[in-house]
Amino acid sequence: MEKICVAVRVRPSISEEISSGTYWRVDDNGISLHKIQGTPISGISYSFDHVFDESCSNAKVYELLTKDIIHAAVDGFNGTAFAYGQTSSGKTFTMNGSSTDPGIIHRAVNDIFHKIQTISDREFLIRVSYMEIYNEEINDLFTVENQKLQIHESLERGIFVAGLREEIVNNVEQVMNLLQSGEVNRHFGETNMNARSSRSHTIFRMVIESKGKDASSFGDYSSSDAIRVSVLNLVDLAGSERIAKTGAGGVRLKEGKYINKSLMVLGNVINKLSDGAKQRAHIPYRDSKLTRILQPALGGNAKTSIICTVAPEEVHVEETKGTLLFASRAKRITNCAQVNEILTDAALLKRQKLEIEELRRKLQGSHAEVLEQEILKLRNDMLKYELERDKLEMELEEERRLHKEREQRIIDQQMKIENLSSLVSDGDRSSSQGSTKESPKEECNDRGDDFKTPCFKAAPNAFVAKRSNYSELPDFSPLPDSFSNVADEDTWFKMNKGYIADLDSLQTTPARKVQSFPPQDVTPVCSNKNDKQELQNLKRQLELVIEEKNEIQRKHAEQIQLNDRLMGELTELKQEALFVRKMPQRLCESVASCKDIYEDVLSKMQSSASDGKSSTAKFLLGTSEIGTTLFSTLEAHFAMAMNGHNSSSGNDSLFQECNKMLSETLKSTITSLILSETAGAEDDQANAPLCSCNFKFLNVEGLHSGWRNCLLEGETEQ
Ligand code: ADP
Ligand code: MG
């Protein structure tokens, strides 16, 4: 267990302004705020592992603060050095330096290559990456296309940024060239470069792998066969000042939002870690990408140093106080660094071993420089293949997730359609009677309902069958085993139910050596050829998944069209049903009004035939009876239709009875008319033609207008 090493560096003043109230004084390892007369201001005095004044060079900072961490990284310990402070306080100057006084990164790279040359009994493999966190998005500074990268965690690799380009390097110049190209990319496409550079964090990362040179025996996992893997992070953080100058008059706000979320979370993490009593409390590493990436460096398995840069000007006194407070909290954090030795294939050195040996054999006799170049080229090619494969795996996983989502959407859609279909069928059952509408879809209706389910229902299982066939298809691209260890941030968090490693247990657990599998003597570590093959396979799988995706999208679009058509048909059918349901009632009303007219006319005619005994009077009486019977029959029929009786089924006898009664009444009336005609032929001859003529006219006219009204109403409603 060791404390994080914390130093404060005061940069030279860059303003001409002479302090009128206070100034910062540096004494040995302390820094305190003093009044201009020299009296210290109580409560504002701090001491740290180191306090560097304005005259201190980067060389001295490196020597006192970072050198040990860099050397430890070569020996297999994780290491992190980061610069924290407000904008323009000297973070970038400390990390990158100038041509006359190189910064920590340059010195560290130099030192590492220098040191590994002095270690003759170990073989080293170093790879570097360079990333930027800007607005909570991780961008690769080596490749502009690699933007918005995700953090993943796997059992073997721990926390890593998926898809981040890594370059294997052999010497300082290569690293410096890469860094330079990274700096160019950092500003790429940005209009406000200054604002961005002060709001983004950059992480330069070196992964150092090494193994004993004599450990060549396969299948024998002796301690010398273990590979040490350490990660060194050199971090230039975004400006830590609060949004201070706001509003008219540039009022300084003591409180305010931090410039970016990750610095605020970093502050929280440091606070929690420094609060010894609550060390077992939840540490919010996952609240920002920065803290998640730096998790091992903060309260974990790493040697860490923080350099807090401050500006001496009086105008920055509030920010400087904030930085010193942050630094004093960070000082209380303890880490537990241990040498990371592994036996698994997680070590690149191990995975590349066979191929490199093969190449060495082939190039035996070549000039040493050619050999080294060839080896480096091969190594980088292999690393690229691996990274490409990882990327494809991630893409494949993403495709699978989307595919599942689409499938679920289609199932939902299908259920909706089935619900609609059953709704239509229910409508059929309740309102089919009385409809005489003919439809081309009638042939699809095997129950003889008037309201038909659309044609596709004739084979209701066609689509379902297809789907189930589809779902029975074998999963043709099972995930590679190693991939199952990988989970994205959220999944991982959910899987662990927010579990955060117990820091104490981290401190006491000894370094574990994990048995590599499959053993090297049985199956050789992945070869270049295998890599290519695997890459091809993954590509094929990806293509298949994309094809599948397109097919599903097409089907989905078809379903939506079908759904729309169904909805249209359903609306039409509902309107028709409404119209048909109202039809008997309208007819009834029409018959009732015809009956009224008829009775009215007849009563008038009867009153005009005064004696009531003439044949005309009898004829009218008979006609009245016939009319009343006819109308009653009609009314009875309509009433039955309205009550939902089916005239074609069990109620035939009722109708036959009515018809019989009607014909009997007619017969008897006609007979009585014939009889009375013989008795009073003269009267009849004088009156009958006029009355019968009137009767016919009124009757027909009355009925006709009743029907016309009914039909007109029907048309308007439609
Ligand atoms: P930051 O990265 O914190 O925003 P910089 O490192 O860019 O700040 O520093 C701002 C300016 O101050 C730069 O011009 C830099 O050269 C200068 N500077 C910072 N620290 C020092 C130092 N210790 N010695 C000399 N110049 C410095
Ligand atoms: Mg800077």
Side-chain angles (χ1 to χ4, degrees), residues 86-93 96 186 197-198 200 236-239:
Q86 73 169 109
T87 303
S88 89
S89 58
K91 298 181 297 294
T92 306
F93 182 83
N96 294 356
R186 191 177 174 188
S197 71
S198 67
S200 74
D236 183 2
L237 291 175

